[in-house]
Amino acid sequence: IDAAALGEQLASQAPPARAAAALESPAAAPLKCSDLADAIEVSGSGAEGAFSVVVCKTTGTLRSLAINGESLLAAGSAALNLWRAPTDNDNGATPGMPAVTSDRKEWLAQFVSSASWSKPKPQLGWATLQPLYLRPFYSTVGPFLRWLGVGAVQSWAYIWKHHSLDSLSREAVAVQLVEAAAERVVIRCKCDLRTPKGRTRAKHELLVTVSADGSVALDTTAKVTRASGMPLCAPEFSLPRIGLRFAAAPDLLGSVRWLGQGPHENYPDRAAGARFGMHSATSAELFTPYVVPSECGHRGGTTWLVLSAPGGRGLAVSSEEPFGWSALPHGAQAIDAAAHPSDLEPEAHATLCVDHRMMGVGGDIGWGRSVWPEYLVPDGAYTWRTTLRPFKQPPATPPAAAAPIAGAE
């Protein structure tokens, strides 16, 4: 990214800056903290007004975040999120076809780059053409092999559901007040995400740091493990995503601005046409009404995100490294269950997903799990920080910390 060109672009797109007098903020008042039986409550008063944060001891998530008595986030916010509503590619374009391998990837790259059919063709070996030879076979016996649990014919969606990623329940192991000072309060939440059979699929530690200026830093450490018994012949595994999910007030989708890739939806392997810069969108523009509802609306390479209600109040989200996000009026479970967009009913809260990593969506080929290895999200340990800043009026420009970062997805 050319720094000078980007600076001119951001300067031309940024709203008028607030008057200097408005930027002079009074000193933040000391924080108040109450360690109750079922929750830890923190409140204070900063430049944007009175704010409050409540952490639930039962779930280890945010029960609420409010500014001047008006709700921004509801119960269940800041929960570890590992699921997305499967796309057609996730479900498998052709049931039973093998997944992408490095030899097929190399051949396909050569094939696509050929500008003319008259050019010399790459060598077509058995490993490359095997899917074409066996396509009728897989199409016929694929459903039967899937029933048997043969991994080579499983779609990504099947593998995810085999690991119960769509039905994990959250249980707090420990929620404790680490520090309660006038300038900051630190709360540590340790939680397990378990399958319906009681097996632990992920461990989530969330360190919530509330500062006197109203900012809330969420330091996440997550360790995800796959099932001990993978489906037969399925050595590969990828999470759909890993990040945090928030239950946001619906009117926060009234105006959304971000510094990142856009303006249209984009994914790690489908982002070449997404321009980095300041973008904005309305609620209707954030949801893509595919004929069959599925994962949609993701924007990557973001360093600063602002969601504002019509009255001005809202929430700014930032991170020390690029993140992806989506803000939709429907949750992933409802989207996955719907057959048509008209089946989706308005929900009490909007679903804000702030993703640390998102798996690609594939689509290069018409068979099997068509996502290149570099766009998969392996199981294992992940750490990252997300910062929330409630406000009474939206900030005009992003903070210096939200400048472009090399390697933005």
Side-chain angles (χ1 to χ4, degrees):
I1 300 173
D2 184 272
L6 179 61
E8 294 178 3
Q9 176 182 316
L10 295 182
S12 64
Q13 295 181 356
R18 297 182 187 177
L23 294 176
E24 297 178 1
S25 55
L31 292 171
K32 297 179 180 179
C33 180
S34 300
D35 191 352
L36 307 177
D38 64 338
I40 298 176
E41 299 179 355
V42 184
S43 60
S45 182
E48 298 293 335
F51 62 87
S52 63
V53 181
V54 180
V55 176
C56 177
K57 289 186 175 181
T58 303
T59 62
T61 60
L62 300 185
R63 180 180 292 176
S64 71
L65 171 61
I67 183 76
N68 295 321
E70 296 186 86
S71 175
L72 297 173
L73 299 177
S77 292
L80 185 66
N81 189 24
L82 304 176
W83 178 248
R84 76 183 187 193
T87 65
D88 282 347
N89 289 342
D90 294 337
N91 282 313
T94 302
M97 301 310 294
V100 168
T101 57
S102 58
D103 59 334
R104 295 190 189 106
K105 176 182 177 180
E106 181 178 356
W107 178 81
L108 283 167
Q110 297 177 33
F111 187 81
V112 172
S113 65
S114 299
S116 170
W117 292 103
S118 63
K119 287 186 176 182
K121 303 302 185 296
Q123 295 296 319
L124 306 183
W126 168 251
T128 298
L129 295 181
Q130 180 185 12
L132 302 181
Y133 296 147
L134 298 182
R135 187 165 188 161
F137 170 77
Y138 280 124
S139 298
T140 303
V141 303
F144 175 68
L145 294 178
R146 179 177 306 208
W147 178 76
L148 290 177
V150 179
V153 299
Q154 310 303 354
S155 66
W156 283 118
Y158 181 94
I159 292 175
W160 297 337
K161 291 182 179 180
H162 172 81
H163 288 75
S164 302
L165 297 184
D166 62 327
S167 54
L168 296 176
S169 60
R170 184 182 181 90
E171 181 178 334
V173 176
V175 177
Q176 60 182 129
L177 183 61
V178 177
E179 179 183 346
E183 68 280 0
R184 73 170 189 172
V185 172
V186 181
I187 304 166
R188 177 179 288 111
C189 307
K190 292 184 178 181
C191 306
D192 288 346
L193 275 68
R194 297 194 174 101
T195 69
K197 293 184 178 180
R199 299 190 179 102
T200 299
R201 183 66 62 238
K203 289 185 175 293
H204 181 205
E205 179 173 325
L206 183 69
L207 198 65
V208 182
T209 303
V210 183
S211 299
D213 63 358
S215 64
V216 182
L218 304 173
D219 289 284
T220 297
T221 300
K223 184 176 181 180
V224 187
T225 55
R226 68 179 73 181
S228 57
M230 281 284 287
L232 183 63
C233 303
E236 61 193 355
F237 176 79
S238 175
L239 297 168
R241 72 189 333 150
I242 184 166
L244 298 178
R245 183 182 65 250
F246 301 85
D251 57 357
L252 291 187
L253 302 189
S255 175
V256 179
R257 293 187 294 129
W258 70 99
L259 176 60
Q261 292 173 307
H264 51 74
E265 69 175 19
N266 53 83
Y267 288 80
D269 56 351
R270 292 291 178 271
R275 177 175 56 89
F276 184 93
M278 284 296 303
H279 303 284
S280 62
T282 62
S283 176
E285 295 169 329
L286 296 173
F287 178 77
T288 306
Y290 291 115
V291 174
V292 177
S294 64
E295 162 64 31
C296 67
H298 180 269
R299 271 82 172 173
T302 301
T303 56
W304 189 62
L305 169 67
V306 174
L307 303 97
S308 308
R313 86 185 198 288
L315 186 68
V317 183
S318 60
S319 179
E320 296 174 350
E321 56 186 302
F323 61 91
W325 63 275
S326 63
L328 305 175
H330 315 287
Q333 299 292 352
I335 294 174
D336 187 22
H340 307 283
S342 58
D343 296 336
L344 293 168
E345 298 290 340
E347 298 185 5
H349 298 96
T351 298
L352 170 63
C353 296
V354 179
D355 299 313
H356 177 60
R357 293 279 302 276
M358 168 67 80
M359 192 185 95
V361 293
D364 298 65
I365 56 177
W367 59 82
R369 299 184 290 280
S370 60
V371 177
W372 302 133
E374 58 265 38
Y375 299 116
L376 300 180
V377 182
D379 54 324
Y382 293 87
T383 60
W384 71 92
R385 165 177 280 204
T386 304
T387 302
L388 310 177
R389 290 182 174 84
F391 56 77
K392 60 183 178 182
Q393 291 296 326
T397 57
I405 300 176
E409 64 173 341

